[in-house]
């Protein structure tokens, strides 16, 4: 008897639910911080709670992450907005345009939204590329390089999704590092939002996907018989 005929509908539904749960991510939106800055300003992430902690969304962030509201303008009230949030009204940037910001966690970073900011009216300012590196202690495990689009000269860019789900194949992750390429002579800022994290234990084993496929195959076979 084939495996597909052994899978009951309830089990197939359970496996499908488990797979969908595994693919769901906890998202760091920066819009549910206990003490966010005014929407037209920014501040260090550690000051957006009441204990000066760098822990947020179940991970530990570099002290150089700054939280910024999407109404913050550069160069005065008539200047352009500094950046665009992907969701809500807050995003993060690399304080002072620093490279090498770290995120400490054993969770899998499955993706995040990044874009160029508008740096005080200088089109050659900011960062034009970011590299997200998965690390195990002091060892680089894998990296993804992403060129930040520039389609709105003189304005901040809508954020683009960087898919880092391939990090799920790695073992021993202790965190991530965000490097950047500085454009021109101005500080190499970038803008980011909605970091997606998944528990390592939620990444399905190959056998789970095999069972799921068998269950779906059984359901399809039953439908054909009833047709």
């Amino acid at each position: 008897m084939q495996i597909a005929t052994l899978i009951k509908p309830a089990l197939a539904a359970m496996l499908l639910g488990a797979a969908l749960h595994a693919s769901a991510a906890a998202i760091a939106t920066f819009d549910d911080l206990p003490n966010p800055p005014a929407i037209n300003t920014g501040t260090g992430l550690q000051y957006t709670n009441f204990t000066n902690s760098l822990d947020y969304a179940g991970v530990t962030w570099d002290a150089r992450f700054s939280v910024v509201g999407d109404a913050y303008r550069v160069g005065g009230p008539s200047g352009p907005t500094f950046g665009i949030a992907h969701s809500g009204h807050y995003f993060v940037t690399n304080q002072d345009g620093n490279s090498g910001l770290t995120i400490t966690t054993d969770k899998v970073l499955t993706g995040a939204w990044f874009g160029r900011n508008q740096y005080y009216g200088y089109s050659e300012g900011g960062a034009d590329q970011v590299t997200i590196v998965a690390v195990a202690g002091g060892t680089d495990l894998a990296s993804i390089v992403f060129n930040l689009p520039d389609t709105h000269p003189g304005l901040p860019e809508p954020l683009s999704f960087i898919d880092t789900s391939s990090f799920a194949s790695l073992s021993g992750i202790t965190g991530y590092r965000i490097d950047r390429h500085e454009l021109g002579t101005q500080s190499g800022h970038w803008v980011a939002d909605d970091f997606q994290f998944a528990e390592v234990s939620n990444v399905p084993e190959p056998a789970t996907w095999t069972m799921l496929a068998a269950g779906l195959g059984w359901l399809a076979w039953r439908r054909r018989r009833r047709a």
Side-chain angles (χ1 to χ4, degrees), residues 73-207:
R73 294 181 175 274
V74 297
S78 61
T81 53
F82 180 83
I84 300 174
H86 174 251
S87 67
H89 293 286
Y90 290 96
F91 54 84
V92 290
T93 188
N94 47 333
Q95 183 175 303
D96 297 327
N98 289 152
S99 191
L101 272 67
T102 59
I103 301 171
T104 303
T105 181
D106 61 359
K107 296 181 181 181
V108 177
L109 177 65
T110 59
W113 294 80
F114 276 78
R116 298 194 191 198
N117 73 315
Q118 174 55 26
Y119 190 77
Y120 291 92
Y122 293 97
S123 60
E124 72 274 13
D128 63 351
Q129 182 186 86
V130 294
T131 301
I132 301 178
V133 186
V135 302
T139 302
D140 292 356
L141 299 176
S143 63
I144 292 175
V145 180
F146 187 81
N147 294 319
L148 301 175
D150 183 20
T151 57
H152 298 72
L155 296 172
E157 291 292 324
L159 306 193
S160 300
F161 184 67
I162 303 180
D163 183 355
T164 59
S165 59
S166 60
F167 290 159
S169 65
L170 304 174
S171 60
I173 291 174
T174 60
Y176 305 90
R177 187 181 71 249
I178 304 172
D179 298 329
R180 59 97 178 106
H181 177 263
E182 185 178 26
L183 184 63
T185 58
Q186 304 301 322
S187 293
H189 285 98
W190 41 254
V191 167
D193 198 5
D194 291 346
F195 288 73
Q196 301 177 3
F197 297 94
E199 298 287 350
V200 175
S201 60
N202 281 348
V203 179
E205 296 291 335

Side-chain angles (χ1 to χ4, degrees), residues 219-227:
L219 291 175
W221 174 74
R222 291 283 294 176
R223 291 192 187 99
R224 285 197 299 269
R225 287 197 62 187
R226 292 174 179 173

Side-chain angles (χ1 to χ4, degrees), residues 18-108:
L20 292 175
H21 175 72
S23 64
I27 304 176
T29 66
F30 309 102
D31 281 274
D32 56 355
L33 294 162
N35 187 35
I39 202 169
N40 61 347
T41 62
T43 190
L45 188 146
Q46 68 190 88
Y47 305 120
T48 60
N49 57 73
F50 299 106
T51 60
N52 285 355
S53 173
L54 290 168
D55 293 333
Y56 168 65
V59 304
T60 302
W61 303 80
D62 195 300
R64 295 171 294 175
F65 276 97
S66 292
V67 178
V68 183
D70 63 359
Y72 173 62
R73 294 181 175 274
V74 297
S78 61
T81 53
F82 180 83
I84 300 174
H86 174 251
S87 67
H89 293 286
Y90 290 96
F91 54 84
V92 290
T93 188
N94 47 333
Q95 183 175 303
D96 297 327
N98 289 152
S99 191
L101 272 67
T102 59
I103 301 171
T104 303
T105 181
D106 61 359
K107 296 181 181 181
V108 177

